[in-house]
PDB file of all heavy atoms in Angstrom:
ATOM      1  N   ILE A  78      -0.025   1.102   7.495  1.00  0.00           N
ATOM      2  CA  ILE A  78      -1.200   0.295   7.710  1.00  0.00           C
ATOM      3  C   ILE A  78      -0.900  -0.864   8.666  1.00  0.00           C
ATOM      4  O   ILE A  78      -1.672  -1.153   9.583  1.00  0.00           O
ATOM      5  CB  ILE A  78      -1.773  -0.181   6.370  1.00  0.00           C
ATOM      6  CG1 ILE A  78      -2.304   1.024   5.573  1.00  0.00           C
ATOM      7  CG2 ILE A  78      -2.887  -1.226   6.572  1.00  0.00           C
ATOM      8  CD1 ILE A  78      -2.606   0.742   4.126  1.00  0.00           C
ATOM      9  N   ALA A  79       0.242  -1.525   8.476  1.00  0.00           N
ATOM     10  CA  ALA A  79       0.631  -2.624   9.361  1.00  0.00           C
ATOM     11  C   ALA A  79       0.796  -2.172  10.787  1.00  0.00           C
ATOM     12  O   ALA A  79       0.363  -2.843  11.729  1.00  0.00           O
ATOM     13  CB  ALA A  79       1.921  -3.307   8.849  1.00  0.00           C
ATOM     14  N   GLU A  80       1.405  -1.040  10.993  1.00  0.00           N
ATOM     15  CA  GLU A  80       1.604  -0.526  12.328  1.00  0.00           C
ATOM     16  C   GLU A  80       0.262  -0.194  12.990  1.00  0.00           C
ATOM     17  O   GLU A  80       0.035  -0.535  14.163  1.00  0.00           O
ATOM     18  CB  GLU A  80       2.459   0.753  12.311  1.00  0.00           C
ATOM     19  CG  GLU A  80       2.720   1.321  13.670  1.00  0.00           C
ATOM     20  CD  GLU A  80       3.615   2.536  13.669  1.00  0.00           C
ATOM     21  OE1 GLU A  80       4.213   2.870  12.632  1.00  0.00           O
ATOM     22  OE2 GLU A  80       3.710   3.185  14.724  1.00  0.00           O
ATOM     23  N   ARG A  81      -0.636   0.428  12.241  1.00  0.00           N
ATOM     24  CA  ARG A  81      -1.958   0.730  12.776  1.00  0.00           C
ATOM     25  C   ARG A  81      -2.708  -0.537  13.122  1.00  0.00           C
ATOM     26  O   ARG A  81      -3.388  -0.607  14.123  1.00  0.00           O
ATOM     27  CB  ARG A  81      -2.741   1.577  11.796  1.00  0.00           C
ATOM     28  CG  ARG A  81      -2.083   2.926  11.454  1.00  0.00           C
ATOM     29  CD  ARG A  81      -2.231   3.974  12.571  1.00  0.00           C
ATOM     30  NE  ARG A  81      -1.583   5.212  12.238  1.00  0.00           N
ATOM     31  CZ  ARG A  81      -2.105   6.170  11.481  1.00  0.00           C
ATOM     32  NH1 ARG A  81      -3.300   6.078  10.926  1.00  0.00           N
ATOM     33  NH2 ARG A  81      -1.410   7.311  11.285  1.00  0.00           N
ATOM     34  N   LEU A  82      -2.605  -1.550  12.274  1.00  0.00           N
ATOM     35  CA  LEU A  82      -3.242  -2.830  12.581  1.00  0.00           C
ATOM     36  C   LEU A  82      -2.661  -3.481  13.859  1.00  0.00           C
ATOM     37  O   LEU A  82      -3.405  -4.033  14.649  1.00  0.00           O
ATOM     38  CB  LEU A  82      -3.113  -3.766  11.402  1.00  0.00           C
ATOM     39  CG  LEU A  82      -4.021  -3.498  10.198  1.00  0.00           C
ATOM     40  CD1 LEU A  82      -3.582  -4.346   9.004  1.00  0.00           C
ATOM     41  CD2 LEU A  82      -5.464  -3.768  10.565  1.00  0.00           C
ATOM     42  N   ALA A  83      -1.360  -3.387  14.005  1.00  0.00           N
ATOM     43  CA  ALA A  83      -0.700  -3.985  15.169  1.00  0.00           C
ATOM     44  C   ALA A  83      -1.100  -3.288  16.446  1.00  0.00           C
ATOM     45  O   ALA A  83      -1.156  -3.891  17.525  1.00  0.00           O
ATOM     46  CB  ALA A  83       0.834  -3.945  15.004  1.00  0.00           C
ATOM     47  N   ASN A  84      -1.409  -1.999  16.377  1.00  0.00           N
ATOM     48  CA  ASN A  84      -1.755  -1.206  17.556  1.00  0.00           C
ATOM     49  C   ASN A  84      -3.243  -1.010  17.778  1.00  0.00           C
ATOM     50  O   ASN A  84      -3.636  -0.338  18.693  1.00  0.00           O
ATOM     51  CB  ASN A  84      -1.056   0.171  17.487  1.00  0.00           C
ATOM     52  CG  ASN A  84       0.438   0.027  17.599  1.00  0.00           C
ATOM     53  OD1 ASN A  84       0.926  -0.819  18.322  1.00  0.00           O
ATOM     54  ND2 ASN A  84       1.182   0.855  16.858  1.00  0.00           N
ATOM     55  N   GLY A  85      -4.063  -1.590  16.897  1.00  0.00           N
ATOM     56  CA  GLY A  85      -5.491  -1.430  17.018  1.00  0.00           C
ATOM     57  C   GLY A  85      -6.189  -2.756  17.142  1.00  0.00           C
ATOM     58  O   GLY A  85      -5.667  -3.770  16.711  1.00  0.00           O
ATOM     59  N   PRO A  86      -7.399  -2.729  17.715  1.00  0.00           N
ATOM     60  CA  PRO A  86      -8.098  -3.959  17.953  1.00  0.00           C
ATOM     61  C   PRO A  86      -8.868  -4.525  16.740  1.00  0.00           C
ATOM     62  O   PRO A  86      -9.236  -5.678  16.715  1.00  0.00           O
ATOM     63  CB  PRO A  86      -9.084  -3.589  19.055  1.00  0.00           C
ATOM     64  CG  PRO A  86      -9.347  -2.156  18.793  1.00  0.00           C
ATOM     65  CD  PRO A  86      -8.044  -1.585  18.265  1.00  0.00           C
ATOM     66  N   SER A  87      -9.074  -3.712  15.711  1.00  0.00           N
ATOM     67  CA  SER A  87     -10.002  -4.087  14.669  1.00  0.00           C
ATOM     68  C   SER A  87      -9.341  -4.816  13.488  1.00  0.00           C
ATOM     69  O   SER A  87      -8.307  -4.353  12.968  1.00  0.00           O
ATOM     70  CB  SER A  87     -10.741  -2.873  14.124  1.00  0.00           C
ATOM     71  OG  SER A  87     -11.625  -3.264  13.129  1.00  0.00           O
ATOM     72  N   ARG A  88      -9.953  -5.900  13.047  1.00  0.00           N
ATOM     73  CA  ARG A  88      -9.549  -6.580  11.821  1.00  0.00           C
ATOM     74  C   ARG A  88     -10.639  -6.370  10.765  1.00  0.00           C
ATOM     75  O   ARG A  88     -10.618  -6.999   9.741  1.00  0.00           O
ATOM     76  CB  ARG A  88      -9.360  -8.073  12.059  1.00  0.00           C
ATOM     77  CG  ARG A  88      -8.223  -8.414  13.033  1.00  0.00           C
ATOM     78  CD  ARG A  88      -6.882  -7.866  12.678  1.00  0.00           C
ATOM     79  NE  ARG A  88      -6.335  -8.455  11.487  1.00  0.00           N
ATOM     80  CZ  ARG A  88      -5.224  -8.066  10.901  1.00  0.00           C
ATOM     81  NH1 ARG A  88      -4.514  -7.093  11.412  1.00  0.00           N
ATOM     82  NH2 ARG A  88      -4.782  -8.645   9.797  1.00  0.00           N
ATOM     83  N   ASP A  89     -11.574  -5.490  11.039  1.00  0.00           N
ATOM     84  CA  ASP A  89     -12.625  -5.151  10.096  1.00  0.00           C
ATOM     85  C   ASP A  89     -12.257  -3.856   9.347  1.00  0.00           C
ATOM     86  O   ASP A  89     -11.857  -2.875   9.989  1.00  0.00           O
ATOM     87  CB  ASP A  89     -13.949  -4.920  10.881  1.00  0.00           C
ATOM     88  CG  ASP A  89     -15.027  -4.377  10.010  1.00  0.00           C
ATOM     89  OD1 ASP A  89     -15.595  -5.134   9.209  1.00  0.00           O
ATOM     90  OD2 ASP A  89     -15.303  -3.146  10.098  1.00  0.00           O
ATOM     91  N   PHE A  90     -12.318  -3.913   8.014  1.00  0.00           N
ATOM     92  CA  PHE A  90     -11.806  -2.779   7.227  1.00  0.00           C
ATOM     93  C   PHE A  90     -12.524  -1.463   7.535  1.00  0.00           C
ATOM     94  O   PHE A  90     -11.863  -0.419   7.728  1.00  0.00           O
ATOM     95  CB  PHE A  90     -11.901  -3.088   5.726  1.00  0.00           C
ATOM     96  CG  PHE A  90     -11.352  -1.996   4.869  1.00  0.00           C
ATOM     97  CD1 PHE A  90      -9.998  -1.688   4.850  1.00  0.00           C
ATOM     98  CD2 PHE A  90     -12.194  -1.207   4.105  1.00  0.00           C
ATOM     99  CE1 PHE A  90      -9.499  -0.658   4.058  1.00  0.00           C
ATOM    100  CE2 PHE A  90     -11.713  -0.176   3.334  1.00  0.00           C
ATOM    101  CZ  PHE A  90     -10.359   0.122   3.313  1.00  0.00           C
ATOM    102  N   ASP A  91     -13.854  -1.490   7.557  1.00  0.00           N
ATOM    103  CA  ASP A  91     -14.583  -0.248   7.809  1.00  0.00           C
ATOM    104  C   ASP A  91     -14.242   0.322   9.190  1.00  0.00           C
ATOM    105  O   ASP A  91     -14.070   1.535   9.331  1.00  0.00           O
ATOM    106  CB  ASP A  91     -16.088  -0.469   7.685  1.00  0.00           C
ATOM    107  CG  ASP A  91     -16.495  -0.775   6.244  1.00  0.00           C
ATOM    108  OD1 ASP A  91     -15.812  -0.276   5.315  1.00  0.00           O
ATOM    109  OD2 ASP A  91     -17.474  -1.494   6.045  1.00  0.00           O
ATOM    110  N   ALA A  92     -14.146  -0.528  10.204  1.00  0.00           N
ATOM    111  CA  ALA A  92     -13.748  -0.037  11.536  1.00  0.00           C
ATOM    112  C   ALA A  92     -12.318   0.495  11.518  1.00  0.00           C
ATOM    113  O   ALA A  92     -12.010   1.499  12.164  1.00  0.00           O
ATOM    114  CB  ALA A  92     -13.904  -1.178  12.562  1.00  0.00           C
ATOM    115  N   PHE A  93     -11.443  -0.199  10.781  1.00  0.00           N
ATOM    116  CA  PHE A  93     -10.061   0.261  10.676  1.00  0.00           C
ATOM    117  C   PHE A  93      -9.997   1.658  10.065  1.00  0.00           C
ATOM    118  O   PHE A  93      -9.326   2.540  10.576  1.00  0.00           O
ATOM    119  CB  PHE A  93      -9.262  -0.720   9.787  1.00  0.00           C
ATOM    120  CG  PHE A  93      -7.854  -0.229   9.491  1.00  0.00           C
ATOM    121  CD1 PHE A  93      -6.859  -0.305  10.430  1.00  0.00           C
ATOM    122  CD2 PHE A  93      -7.571   0.325   8.259  1.00  0.00           C
ATOM    123  CE1 PHE A  93      -5.582   0.163  10.149  1.00  0.00           C
ATOM    124  CE2 PHE A  93      -6.308   0.788   7.957  1.00  0.00           C
ATOM    125  CZ  PHE A  93      -5.289   0.713   8.914  1.00  0.00           C
ATOM    126  N   VAL A  94     -10.712   1.858   8.976  1.00  0.00           N
ATOM    127  CA  VAL A  94     -10.738   3.200   8.337  1.00  0.00           C
ATOM    128  C   VAL A  94     -11.359   4.223   9.275  1.00  0.00           C
ATOM    129  O   VAL A  94     -10.883   5.371   9.362  1.00  0.00           O
ATOM    130  CB  VAL A  94     -11.449   3.141   6.962  1.00  0.00           C
ATOM    131  CG1 VAL A  94     -11.685   4.531   6.407  1.00  0.00           C
ATOM    132  CG2 VAL A  94     -10.625   2.302   5.974  1.00  0.00           C
ATOM    133  N   GLY A  95     -12.411   3.845   9.979  1.00  0.00           N
ATOM    134  CA  GLY A  95     -13.039   4.764  10.926  1.00  0.00           C
ATOM    135  C   GLY A  95     -12.072   5.213  12.006  1.00  0.00           C
ATOM    136  O   GLY A  95     -12.103   6.363  12.429  1.00  0.00           O
ATOM    137  N   ALA A  96     -11.222   4.283  12.454  1.00  0.00           N
ATOM    138  CA  ALA A  96     -10.258   4.608  13.506  1.00  0.00           C
ATOM    139  C   ALA A  96      -9.009   5.268  12.933  1.00  0.00           C
ATOM    140  O   ALA A  96      -8.244   5.888  13.688  1.00  0.00           O
ATOM    141  CB  ALA A  96      -9.866   3.356  14.254  1.00  0.00           C
ATOM    142  N   ASN A  97      -8.774   5.161  11.635  1.00  0.00           N
ATOM    143  CA  ASN A  97      -7.568   5.680  10.994  1.00  0.00           C
ATOM    144  C   ASN A  97      -7.916   6.401   9.685  1.00  0.00           C
ATOM    145  O   ASN A  97      -7.415   6.048   8.600  1.00  0.00           O
ATOM    146  CB  ASN A  97      -6.604   4.521  10.688  1.00  0.00           C
ATOM    147  CG  ASN A  97      -6.214   3.764  11.892  1.00  0.00           C
ATOM    148  OD1 ASN A  97      -5.341   4.196  12.643  1.00  0.00           O
ATOM    149  ND2 ASN A  97      -6.831   2.636  12.136  1.00  0.00           N
ATOM    150  N   PRO A  98      -8.710   7.459   9.741  1.00  0.00           N
ATOM    151  CA  PRO A  98      -9.169   8.091   8.522  1.00  0.00           C
ATOM    152  C   PRO A  98      -8.032   8.724   7.715  1.00  0.00           C
ATOM    153  O   PRO A  98      -8.136   8.872   6.486  1.00  0.00           O
ATOM    154  CB  PRO A  98     -10.153   9.145   8.988  1.00  0.00           C
ATOM    155  CG  PRO A  98      -9.769   9.422  10.405  1.00  0.00           C
ATOM    156  CD  PRO A  98      -9.270   8.090  10.936  1.00  0.00           C
ATOM    157  N   ASP A  99      -6.914   9.016   8.350  1.00  0.00           N
ATOM    158  CA  ASP A  99      -5.817   9.638   7.627  1.00  0.00           C
ATOM    159  C   ASP A  99      -5.211   8.724   6.560  1.00  0.00           C
ATOM    160  O   ASP A  99      -4.618   9.217   5.587  1.00  0.00           O
ATOM    161  CB  ASP A  99      -4.728  10.137   8.581  1.00  0.00           C
ATOM    162  CG  ASP A  99      -4.110   9.035   9.417  1.00  0.00           C
ATOM    163  OD1 ASP A  99      -4.753   8.020   9.698  1.00  0.00           O
ATOM    164  OD2 ASP A  99      -2.945   9.230   9.863  1.00  0.00           O
ATOM    165  N   VAL A 100      -5.322   7.391   6.696  1.00  0.00           N
ATOM    166  CA  VAL A 100      -4.767   6.504   5.670  1.00  0.00           C
ATOM    167  C   VAL A 100      -5.511   6.614   4.364  1.00  0.00           C
ATOM    168  O   VAL A 100      -4.987   6.190   3.331  1.00  0.00           O
ATOM    169  CB  VAL A 100      -4.722   5.020   6.129  1.00  0.00           C
ATOM    170  CG1 VAL A 100      -3.891   4.849   7.381  1.00  0.00           C
ATOM    171  CG2 VAL A 100      -6.087   4.417   6.269  1.00  0.00           C
TER     172      VAL A 100
END
Side-chain angles (χ1 to χ4, degrees):
I78 293 167
E80 181 179 350
R81 300 284 179 83
L82 284 169
N84 292 324
S87 180
R88 297 304 293 174
D89 172 75
F90 181 69
D91 292 330
F93 172 77
V94 170
N97 300 281
D99 61 334
V100 301

